[in-house]
Amino acid sequence: MRKKKLGLALGAGGSRGIAHIGFLQALEEADILPDFIAGSSMGAIVGGCYSAGLSPERLKEEALGLKLGSIAAPNFSFTEHSGILHLSRARKLLEGLIGDITFDKLKIPFCCVATDLLKGETVVLSKGTVVDAILASGSIPGVFTAAEVGEYDHLSDGGILERVPTKQVKAMGADVVVAVDVLGNLLAKELPNTPLGTVFRYIDIMDGYNTARTRESREYIDLWLEPDLGGMDQYKVKDLDFAYDRGYQLGKDSAKDILALIG
């Protein structure tokens, strides 16, 4: 019986977040199961589904078949706060996987983070319907319509302020915090050639700077891990098997260190 409780902080990262699935698969093969999971954006989607009981194998099967059209659709009903895409297809997909399960029914304690666009602060979601929460955590502002969850009605992507939710999983009761940042330094292969691409690149640079400060300043982070994903574009639904494989390799390489930390 191990001595310490393990918390995983699964970071934001769009399509690069498929690496989280491979990472979880490798941990399972090493008989390492987390006691707590906190997720941001794609990390919230993977972490929420895994906490609900979906196996890494099932998550991999679903993820590798994804296309942009199976996740989002153009939004033709513009309102004051709407985005250019809506997530009705993603909702249908997730509800098909985990139903309307609530946080208190999860197999592994889980929370996710979103950003309150009105107050400009991080919101921790840990009550109510899991699908509502994880969709809010992954709603890129401007691209997807801001979400309404509980008392909040303008929630967007958790990665805006909390790319890797380490302090949140620590607060859940984790003795050992292992952070998985699938974005790393976000090296660009080339300069963006569209206005939207330029905005995304700006966000990536700012986000990388803030996350570096997080990694270096929080003494309770026991292990900070980054899969080697090169210049993979997080905004394109491609190279998903590559992301899975790199996450799996990261888990294999890190299992011994994690076992040592949790005793």
Side-chain angles (χ1 to χ4, degrees), residues 10 17-18 20-21 24 41-51 59:
L10 304 182
I18 302 302
H20 291 311
I21 302 174
L24 291 170
S41 199
M42 182 56 80
I45 294 172
V46 174
C49 289
Y50 184 70
S51 297
L59 286 171

Side-chain angles (χ1 to χ4, degrees), residues 6-215:
L6 171 64
L8 298 181
L10 304 182
S15 60
R16 293 168 66 108
I18 302 302
H20 291 311
I21 302 174
F23 181 76
L24 291 170
Q25 176 67 55
L27 291 197
E28 279 204 0
E29 291 176 6
D31 292 323
I32 301 172
L33 296 177
D35 298 285
F36 308 98
I37 298 176
S40 179
S41 199
M42 182 56 80
I45 294 172
V46 174
C49 289
Y50 184 70
S51 297
L54 267 68
S55 67
E57 292 93 340
R58 176 71 187 283
L59 286 171
K60 177 185 179 183
E61 177 184 350
E62 293 292 336
L64 296 190
L66 287 177
K67 305 293 182 184
L68 181 58
S70 62
I71 302 170
N75 183 15
F76 298 112
S77 302
F78 286 105
T79 62
E80 184 179 357
H81 303 293
S82 64
I84 60 176
L85 301 174
H86 62 76
L87 290 171
S88 58
R89 293 177 183 175
R91 175 177 293 278
K92 184 177 180 180
L93 176 64
L94 289 169
E95 288 177 343
L97 292 173
I98 64 175
D100 60 355
I101 192 170
T102 53
F103 280 87
D104 59 314
K105 302 298 183 182
L106 293 171
K107 297 181 182 299
I108 300 172
F110 166 76
C111 76
C112 61
V113 294
T115 303
D116 186 332
L117 291 181
L118 287 175
K119 297 182 178 179
E121 60 187 27
T122 295
V123 172
V124 179
L125 301 173
S126 59
K127 295 180 181 179
T129 304
V130 176
V131 168
D132 289 343
I134 60 181
L135 285 176
S137 184
S139 294
I140 301 171
V143 178
F144 302 117
T145 301
E148 298 181 21
V149 180
E151 63 186 281
Y152 304 98
D153 56 7
H154 290 90
L155 293 182
S156 281
D157 200 296
I160 298 171
L161 295 176
E162 203 75 48
R163 185 164 107 188
V164 187
T166 53
K167 64 181 178 182
Q168 287 77 15
V169 79
K170 183 68 174 181
M172 294 175 77
D175 299 308
V176 173
V177 172
V178 174
V180 185
D181 178 18
V182 298
L183 292 178
N185 292 324
L186 278 174
L187 301 176
K189 288 183 177 179
E190 57 188 20
L191 290 175
N193 55 12
T194 65
L196 187 59
T198 300
V199 170
F200 283 154
R201 183 59 188 155
Y202 162 76
I203 293 172
D204 288 345
I205 293 171
M206 181 176 62
D207 186 25
Y209 175 76
N210 290 333
T211 301
R213 295 176 65 187
T214 296
R215 180 179 64 240

